């Protein structure tokens, strides 16, 4: 909203601030601090993040990668009511941004969350080590939503990343930044790489969409854009599939395989 950003402007005890109208390459900024007073945190009541089309764009240069996300939090902010990310919008919280307060956060079906805290997103916790979501209210992370990793530096996915997601976007600012999985994750539509390496540890990335294009941007060689660990794909039993996998010391060691077998072979 184009307000001066003072607590007078945002002294809302009810009602909703809505962000809407952005398309696949548009982005709005969301203010978190009062104008001219960087330590004066704004507390919203209800916020709805809506859009005309989802913004999961991957611009060709690192300088413009921040355009991913229909709405980007310029800094941290508070929520007293409910913060909703609705289909098809995506919301972005970089490595130092977080949502605090007594309110609720819901990433709803068809929506998306791009986040970058070193600690990821957690199911509980309001402290400095509890990641991008630090509210004391309820947290809802839909399995029918998409999630992505952004910002600077290595990070963990966090315990709140659902074990099933629609899309998973590896959009770190710097090539080679790692994302350690806290939980296994099934990707039902698309796994897309721009910058970064997923470290599965003892977990598994399962791309259950059998389309050959379900993994996009992954590298078979080099030091970026691959899964370090366990990657599983569903196949149609007849097509050729790539597996962008690698090792901490050997980098990407991916391969392509032509599958012959029953439909939906794994």
């Amino acid at each position: 909203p184009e307000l001066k950003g003072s607590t007078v402007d945002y002294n809302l005890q009810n009602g909703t601030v809505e962000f809407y109208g952005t398309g696949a390459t548009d982005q709005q900024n969301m203010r978190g601090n009062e104008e001219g007073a960087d330590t004066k945190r704004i507390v919203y009541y209800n916020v709805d993040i809506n859009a005309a089309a989802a913004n999961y764009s991957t611009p060709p240069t690192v300088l413009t990668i921040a355009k991913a996300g229909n709405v980007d939090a310029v800094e941290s902010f508070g929520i007293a009511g409910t913060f909703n990310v609705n289909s098809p919008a995506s919301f972005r919280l970089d490595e130092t941004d977080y949502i605090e307060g007594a309110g609720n956060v819901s990433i709803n079906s068809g929506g998306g969350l791009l986040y970058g805290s070193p600690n990821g997103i957690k199911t509980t916790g309001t402290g400095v080590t509890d990641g991008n979501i630090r509210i004391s209210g309820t947290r809802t992370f839909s399995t029918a939503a998409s999630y992505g990793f952004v910002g600077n530096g290595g990070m963990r996915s966090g315990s709140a990343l659902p074990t099933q997601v629609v899309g998973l976007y590896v959009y770190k600012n710097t090539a080679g930044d790692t994302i350690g999985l806290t939980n296994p994750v099934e990707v039902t539509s698309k796994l897309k790489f721009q910058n970064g390496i997923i470290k599965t540890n003892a977990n598994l990335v399962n791309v259950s969409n059998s389309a050959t294009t379900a993994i996009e941007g992954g590298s078979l060689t080099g030091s970026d854009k691959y899964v370090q660990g366990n990657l599983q794909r569903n196949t149609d039993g007849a097509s050729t599939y790539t597996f962008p996998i690698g090792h901490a010391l050997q980098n990407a060691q991916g391969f392509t395989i032509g599958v012959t077998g029953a439909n939906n072979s794994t």
Side-chain angles (χ1 to χ4, degrees):
E2 294 188 17
L3 304 176
K4 290 191 65 176
S6 72
T7 52
V8 174
D9 293 329
Y10 290 95
N11 186 21
L12 302 178
Q13 303 301 312
N14 210 318
T16 301
V17 173
E18 180 187 13
F19 292 81
Y20 73 98
T22 50
T25 58
D26 300 321
Q27 186 177 83
Q28 294 174 305
N29 288 331
M30 182 172 178
R31 183 187 291 275
N33 291 328
E34 181 178 321
E35 185 179 57
D38 290 344
T39 59
K40 189 73 171 180
R41 186 65 43 80
I42 293 172
V43 179
Y44 295 86
Y45 194 74
N46 295 324
V47 174
D48 279 355
I49 307 297
N50 294 312
N55 181 353
Y56 295 108
S57 63
T58 53
T61 68
V62 172
L63 292 176
T64 57
I65 198 170
K67 287 187 178 297
N70 293 91
V71 178
D72 179 23
V74 178
E75 55 256 319
S76 303
F77 61 91
I79 193 78
T82 298
F83 181 88
N84 283 301
V85 182
N86 300 314
S87 179
S90 60
F91 184 72
R92 182 183 180 112
L93 292 163
D94 283 285
E95 65 273 13
T96 61
D97 302 327
Y98 57 88
I99 306 175
E100 64 179 5
N104 310 308
V105 170
S106 293
I107 312 302
N108 297 315
S109 175
L113 177 65
L114 305 173
Y115 64 98
S117 167
N119 298 297
I121 50 175
K122 297 185 177 181
T123 54
T124 60
T126 59
V128 295
T129 62
D130 291 315
N132 291 111
I133 310 295
R134 304 180 189 177
I135 48 102
S136 58
T138 60
R139 311 174 192 201
T140 302
F141 300 98
S142 173
T143 58
S146 295
Y147 300 84
F149 311 114
V150 296
N152 295 306
M155 61 180 288
R156 294 188 63 78
S157 64
S159 58
L161 178 69
T163 55
Q164 184 183 83
V165 304
V166 174
L168 194 64
Y169 297 88
V170 187
Y171 283 6
K172 298 298 291 182
N173 285 356
T174 304
D177 281 351
T178 59
I179 304 101
L181 285 187
T182 306
N183 306 313
V185 59
E186 176 189 356
V187 183
T188 61
S189 180
K190 182 180 288 292
L191 169 61
K192 189 170 182 177
F193 290 89
Q194 173 74 7
N195 283 313
I197 299 167
I198 295 178
K199 293 177 63 176
T200 66
N201 302 307
N203 296 306
L204 170 71
V205 176
N206 172 22
V207 181
S208 58
N209 178 6
S210 62
T212 58
T213 56
I215 298 179
E216 184 177 335
S219 295
L220 303 184
T221 61
S223 58
D224 189 37
K225 294 181 282 193
Y226 62 88
V227 174
Q228 187 184 114
N230 307 305
L231 173 64
Q232 176 177 293
R233 298 194 67 169
N234 278 21
T235 76
D236 62 12
S239 300
T240 298
Y241 292 82
T242 59
F243 286 77
I245 60 173
H247 186 273
L249 300 179
Q250 308 299 328
N251 295 323
Q253 299 286 309
F255 59 89
T256 299
I257 184 170
V259 179
T260 300
N263 286 344
N264 299 316
S265 300
T266 301

